[in-house]
Structure formats: C-alpha cells, structure tokens
Amino acid sequence: MRIGIVCPYSLDVPGGVQNHVIDLAEALIALDHEVSVLAPADEESVLPPYVVAAGRSVPVPYNGSVARVSFGPVVTTRVRRWLNRGEFDVLHVHEPFALSVSLLAVLCAKGPVVATFHTAMMRSRALAAAQGVLQLVLEKITARIAVSALARRVQVEHLAGGAVEIPNGVAVAKFAGAPPLPGWPGSGGALGFLGRFTEPRKGFGLLRQAFVALAPHRPELRLLVAGPGRPEELYAGIPDELRDRVTFLGQVSEQDKARMLRSVDLYVAPNIGGESFGMILTEAMAAGTAVVASDLDAFRRVLDDGQVGELFATGDPVALREAVERLLDDEPRRLAYAERAGQVVANYDWPVVARQVLEVYAAAIEATDGRVLYQEWADPR
C-alpha cells in the first residue's frame, strides 16, 4: 500500500504528535508498506529518508502550548506537489484542524483521507466559531481515528460524528532494552520528569515542591529532568544545598529518552490538564519504571484506575509528595506496578497499533471506492 502521512507540527522540535507520526511510519514500513511523511521542517534538517520537508515553521499558541506550524501559498504548492507525486492509496493526516500542512493536505486531497485527532479540547465555543471551515475539512475526511476516549468524545459531541479509538503506540523493545545512564538510579531513590517544565500545565512546579520537601529527610534522593528550557528556570525555587542532587539533561534524543526512563525508580507525571492520552506514561511503563501520575482522566485510563501506577489528586503538592514517599519506601509495590504495566503496555506496542490503523485504511479505501462506483452509476458521463 502507498501511504502518505502528514504531521502538522515541525519535526525540528520534539513532541508527542511528531513522535507518533515517525513511529507509525516506521512500523508501517516494517510491515512492507511504502510510506512518505510530509511535515514542517527546515530543508537543511537531517530527516529520515521517508520524510519530505514542507518548509520552515512559525510558532503559534495552541492547546496551552506553542506549536510550530507551516502555512501559506508556498507551503500549499509543496503540499499539492507531494500529493501528486505520491499517488497514495490513502492519505493519513494528523490534527487536521491545526492551521498547518494537515489542513492543507485535506483540502487538496482527491482520494480517501484518514484523520487522527490527538487533542481533547472541549471548548466547543472555539470549534463552533470556525464551523464553516471545519465543515469543509470534515466533508473530505473518509474515516476518523481518536487516540483516546476524550479525543473521541470531541468528535461525537462537537463534530457530528464518531471515530475509531486507537491509542498512541510505543516501541516497547526500545524502552525495555535501553541501558540506564551511568550511576543511575543509585541506592537513595531517583525521580524522573520529562517535558517542557516551563509550561504550567505540565505541573513541574508541583514535583519541584515535593522534591524540596522530601530531600532534606532523604539525603541520597535525586531528581533527573529532561526537556527543553533554560537551567536557571529549572533550578529556580530549589535551595542551593539541594541543587547538586538535581540533574538536568536538557533536550534529549529518543535513544537517550529511553535511557533516562530506565534510570529512575519513579517516573512522575504531575500534569494539571490539557492531556488527551499520556504517551510518556506508556513509555515509562515500557521501560519497566513505576509511575506516579496526577488523577487526570487520560492518565487514569492509561493506568487502569490505579492498577498499574499510583494516582494522586491533581494539582495537590502534598498528595504528590505522599504518593512518592509511599512508593519509595515500598519496593515490592513498585515492582508489582512495573510487572502489571509490562503486561498492559504490550497492547500499545507499535506492531499491534499499526495493524489497527491499517484496518481503518482498508475501510476508508473501500468506502471511497464504493462512493466512486455509485457516482459513476448515478452520472454515467
């Protein structure tokens, strides 16, 4: 099958949707399909051979974060050229309502279109305000995928349709087999956090408060942090005497992300909102690391209502500290969480997820072929 996949966000910066697109493409290639990915990226960027750069991106606020997208006449021309050259059996766009190449690809498409919705934005007023444009896009989408029940709910309640729920995938073997970083996790307990720690919705401030409260009573407790941002922003609020127990890796590669997750006793996800799935949780689970996460609906679903990880009251630094302390003092419980998580995360392994996506592709192609046959019968011209 010839498959075109469109990512709306720049591959020059890391992100959940970007990682999803690349991992899905590689899983489909491993299943002997021909795949091309179109995404915003500088033409000078080092990209996988199956990726086509749509051009430089610009930052725009989106879903409580900042997304780097590409739009405009030049980008539209590149999208059309890529579609014409690809002659794809199916086009798979991610986040088709983002003002970027995904939306342009849908509007330019002529064959079956599958759209994946990652976010769970429930602000129907914003969706209603753009209903005219959204309707044009929706009419060209043949089949929809939602990565979570929350993302699917948006389709049902606000976009006049349903979607097949297929979760984000995770490369289980890559995380399970990664070696820890030298000297980690150590004997005194190690906590981990990965993400944009300057974004309020990621909740890093809560973890920082918990660490500062716990560290004086646990002289060997350490914190390992990875993600974009300046060190001075990370260390703000951490007393001088504790700073040598906080290690900042900066922005890491996918390989080093796996090593980082294998290097801690607990992965902490203190997010306070704006999450539709929780990919970092499944990655930590694949790494065999016990998870402590805020009680967001998306996280609760991934952790099976607390059966495969510890949940704490969202936004409560005291509840977070107590949850971390309980697990640091209870190694059997940590190991039990990790064992159960390993069984659950097998359902998220990319070969499993990719085959579910292929079923949606096949249905979209069949539906489009049937539509064409009907149109030819109804109008023999």
Side-chain angles (χ1 to χ4, degrees), residues 149-222:
L150 289 176
R152 184 180 182 278
R153 189 188 305 169
V154 173
Q155 305 299 306
V156 173
E157 295 182 357
H158 304 298
L159 297 174
V164 178
E165 185 179 337
I166 300 178
N168 287 298
V170 59
V172 172
K174 178 180 73 174
F175 287 93
L181 298 170
W184 290 84
S187 59
L191 312 179
F193 175 91
L194 188 147
R196 294 181 291 274
F197 56 83
T198 57
E199 281 188 26
R201 72 186 182 97
K202 298 298 182 181
F204 177 73
L206 297 170
L207 173 56
R208 184 163 48 197
Q209 289 180 55
F211 175 78
V212 169
L214 289 170
H217 311 290
R218 295 175 176 269
E220 294 183 282
L221 180 66
R222 293 188 292 170

Side-chain angles (χ1 to χ4, degrees), residues 87-136:
E87 297 182 341
F88 303 117
D89 297 308
V90 65
L91 176 67
H92 186 176
V93 300
H94 292 256
E95 296 290 38
F97 296 152
L99 190 62
S100 190
V101 288
S102 288
L103 185 149
L104 294 173
V106 174
L107 295 176
C108 295
K110 297 179 180 178
V113 177
V114 173
T116 289
F117 295 83
H118 294 259
T119 59
M121 297 175 66
M122 301 305 292
R123 294 189 295 272
S124 58
R125 186 180 304 171
L127 293 175
Q131 198 63 40
V133 175
L134 300 189
Q135 192 59 39
L136 290 174

Side-chain angles (χ1 to χ4, degrees), residues 4-315:
I5 303 179
V6 187
C7 177
Y9 309 133
S10 176
L11 296 184
D12 295 323
V13 293
V17 176
Q18 296 93 313
N19 293 340
H20 179 111
V21 167
I22 293 299
D23 286 345
L24 173 59
E26 294 182 353
L28 292 170
I29 290 169
L31 294 172
D32 295 326
H33 296 281
E34 188 174 342
V35 179
S36 177
V37 172
L38 180 71
D42 289 342
E43 294 181 1
E44 300 82 12
S45 301
V46 179
L47 300 170
Y50 53 82
V51 174
V52 175
R56 291 185 177 180
S57 59
V58 295
V60 297
Y62 183 70
N63 193 29
S65 182
V66 176
R68 298 195 66 89
V69 299
S70 293
F71 204 80
V74 173
V75 177
T76 302
T77 299
R78 291 181 178 180
V79 170
R80 287 199 182 102
R81 186 184 305 131
W82 176 75
L83 287 170
N84 290 334
R85 289 177 178 174
E87 297 182 341
F88 303 117
D89 297 308
V90 65
L91 176 67
H92 186 176
V93 300
H94 292 256
E95 296 290 38
F97 296 152
L99 190 62
S100 190
V101 288
S102 288
L103 185 149
L104 294 173
V106 174
L107 295 176
C108 295
K110 297 179 180 178
V113 177
V114 173
T116 289
F117 295 83
H118 294 259
T119 59
M121 297 175 66
M122 301 305 292
R123 294 189 295 272
S124 58
R125 186 180 304 171
L127 293 175
Q131 198 63 40
V133 175
L134 300 189
Q135 192 59 39
L136 290 174
V137 175
L138 286 172
E139 288 174 357
K140 299 202 68 174
I141 293 173
T142 318
R144 308 182 202 178
I145 295 172
V147 301
S148 68
L150 289 176
R152 184 180 182 278
R153 189 188 305 169
V154 173
Q155 305 299 306
V156 173
E157 295 182 357
H158 304 298
L159 297 174
V164 178
E165 185 179 337
I166 300 178
N168 287 298
V170 59
V172 172
K174 178 180 73 174
F175 287 93
L181 298 170
W184 290 84
S187 59
L191 312 179
F193 175 91
L194 188 147
R196 294 181 291 274
F197 56 83
T198 57
E199 281 188 26
R201 72 186 182 97
K202 298 298 182 181
F204 177 73
L206 297 170
L207 173 56
R208 184 163 48 197
Q209 289 180 55
F211 175 78
V212 169
L214 289 170
H217 311 290
R218 295 175 176 269
E220 294 183 282
L221 180 66
R222 293 188 292 170
L223 174 61
L224 183 62
V225 179
R230 298 193 303 272
E232 56 268 27
E233 294 176 297
L234 172 72
Y235 288 103
I238 297 178
D240 292 343
E241 65 271 17
L242 297 179
R243 292 190 177 189
D244 63 345
R245 291 160 62 183
V246 179
T247 299
F248 179 45
L249 300 177
Q251 192 166 299
V252 294
S253 66
E254 284 299 295
Q255 180 180 9
D256 286 339
K257 176 170 72 172
R259 297 190 66 187
M260 177 263 182
L261 292 174
R262 291 274 292 164
S263 299
V264 295
D265 296 298
L266 296 176
Y267 180 80
V268 183
N271 309 50
I272 60 175
E275 306 296 333
S276 65
F277 179 69
M279 187 182 298
I280 186 61
L281 270 60
T282 59
E283 291 172 338
M285 290 159 63
T289 299
V291 172
V292 176
S294 52
D295 193 18
L296 298 175
D297 188 69
F299 289 177
R300 193 184 318 118
R301 291 172 183 271
V302 172
L303 296 179
D304 193 16
D305 289 322
Q307 296 301 305
V308 295
E310 192 86 359
L311 295 166
F312 69 93
T314 302

Side-chain angles (χ1 to χ4, degrees), residues 368-380:
T368 303
D369 288 345
R371 189 183 308 162
V372 170
L373 287 172
Y374 173 79
Q375 290 171 346
E376 290 176 349
W377 171 82
D379 184 0

